[in-house]
Amino acid sequence: MHKLLSTLTLCAISAAAQAAPIFIENHSFEADFAAPGTFPTGNVTGWDVLDPFDVLLPLGDGQDAIGVLNPTTSTFFDPDAAPDGDNVALIYLSDDIGQGPVSLTQELGATLQANTVYTLQVEVGNIASGFGTGPFADTFFDLDGFPGYAVSLYAGGQLLDEDVNTLVIEEGEFLTSTVQVVIGDNHDQLGQHLEIRLTNLNLEDDPEDPGIEVDFDNVRLDAAPIPEPAVAVLFAAGLTLIAGRRRF
């Protein structure tokens, strides 16, 4: 039994060691400068905008925007810092609440491979009401409520899997969204480019606090090979033995 458990442990360590990060341009949203407490809008380097209901149009004519936020010294998050680096990405929709989702999306250089486990993790933030700094020091931003989020992994334009609003994120807090996809021997999208989508669902939370903004940070995607069949059988056998011991 001890020998089997040792072998299982080594296999688990080996599988974890083989997980490799996939390159994501501007994964932590540091490429666009934002002074502490400010939020320049207009674009996010490396990321495209998906706006199927034209919520953001005409651009520059209204309060809806995408961009980055540096929460340092502000009261938007507790603590007043991004989960990774200085900046987070923002999708801010105040003019057209309930009129459709808006996403930041990036097609990756990596393609969908067989016999691979993909793990996508993203920090998702529910910004709190508060004051910024600098030119925004005297402006109060009412950001109560939460419009909902989605974190999605695609290949060749086809959805592989997603996390749609499963996290309960308190005001001023970030939590980690995780999407895991297991690809076997065959899949219609093998060889197609992977794509990540980060979405503000733009749902009305409640009429008094409808929710406006979703923030994202530290986007990472790992790929790990599925264990060889013999290893998978060994894992199953080990789990059965462990479960059997727990019953006695």
Side-chain angles (χ1 to χ4, degrees):
M1 177 63 181
H2 291 298
K3 182 177 180 180
L4 176 58
L5 289 174
S6 298
T7 305
L8 287 169
T9 301
L10 289 173
C11 289
I13 293 172
S14 175
Q18 292 180 56
I22 293 175
F23 175 75
I24 301 169
E25 183 180 356
N26 194 20
H27 81 283
S28 191
F29 308 107
E30 305 302 311
D32 302 297
F33 176 75
T38 67
F39 41 90
T41 61
N43 72 289
V44 178
T45 296
W47 296 82
D48 296 317
V49 177
L50 181 64
D51 182 14
F53 297 96
D54 294 335
V55 173
L56 295 175
L57 295 178
L59 290 173
D61 185 19
Q63 297 301 311
D64 299 334
I66 57 104
V68 297
L69 161 70
N70 181 340
T72 307
T73 73
S74 74
T75 58
F76 297 134
F77 291 103
D78 182 23
D80 61 344
D84 185 70
D86 294 323
N87 296 345
V88 302
L90 65 88
I91 304 177
Y92 179 92
L93 307 174
S94 66
D95 279 355
D96 299 279
I97 293 170
Q99 298 304 304
V102 173
S103 305
L104 288 170
T105 178
Q106 184 175 148
E107 184 179 281
L108 309 180
T111 58
L112 188 70
Q113 301 298 306
N115 301 312
T116 303
V117 180
Y118 292 95
T119 304
L120 171 63
Q121 291 190 299
V122 181
E123 304 306 312
V124 182
N126 178 4
I127 190 169
S129 297
F131 293 89
T133 58
F136 308 108
D138 297 323
T139 304
F140 179 76
F141 298 91
D142 184 356
L143 299 167
D144 288 351
F146 189 61
Y149 75 91
V151 171
S152 312
L153 184 63
Y154 283 73
Q158 178 177 311
L159 178 66
L160 299 177
D161 204 353
E162 61 187 347
D163 169 19
V164 181
N165 229 17
T166 63
L167 299 173
V168 179
I169 310 174
E170 300 296 331
E171 301 280 342
E173 181 179 61
F174 274 90
L175 291 179
T176 304
S177 169
T178 300
V179 176
Q180 191 166 76
V181 180
V182 179
I183 304 298
D185 289 331
N186 297 295
H187 194 283
D188 290 343
Q189 302 306 107
L190 290 181
Q192 299 295 308
H193 285 276
L194 295 167
E195 177 191 349
I196 294 169
R197 295 185 188 179
L198 312 176
T199 302
N200 179 334
L201 293 176
N202 197 18
L203 304 173
E204 185 175 74
D205 195 353
D206 101 27
E208 293 186 3
D209 299 312
I212 293 171
E213 180 173 327
V214 182
D215 299 275
F216 300 95
D217 197 19
N218 197 16
V219 183
R220 58 262 194 216
L221 177 63
D222 290 337
I226 294 176
E228 294 293 330
V231 175
V233 170
L234 184 60
F235 268 112
L239 291 173
T240 300
L241 283 174
I242 293 168
R245 286 194 67 193
R246 287 176 177 170
R247 287 196 292 268
F248 294 98

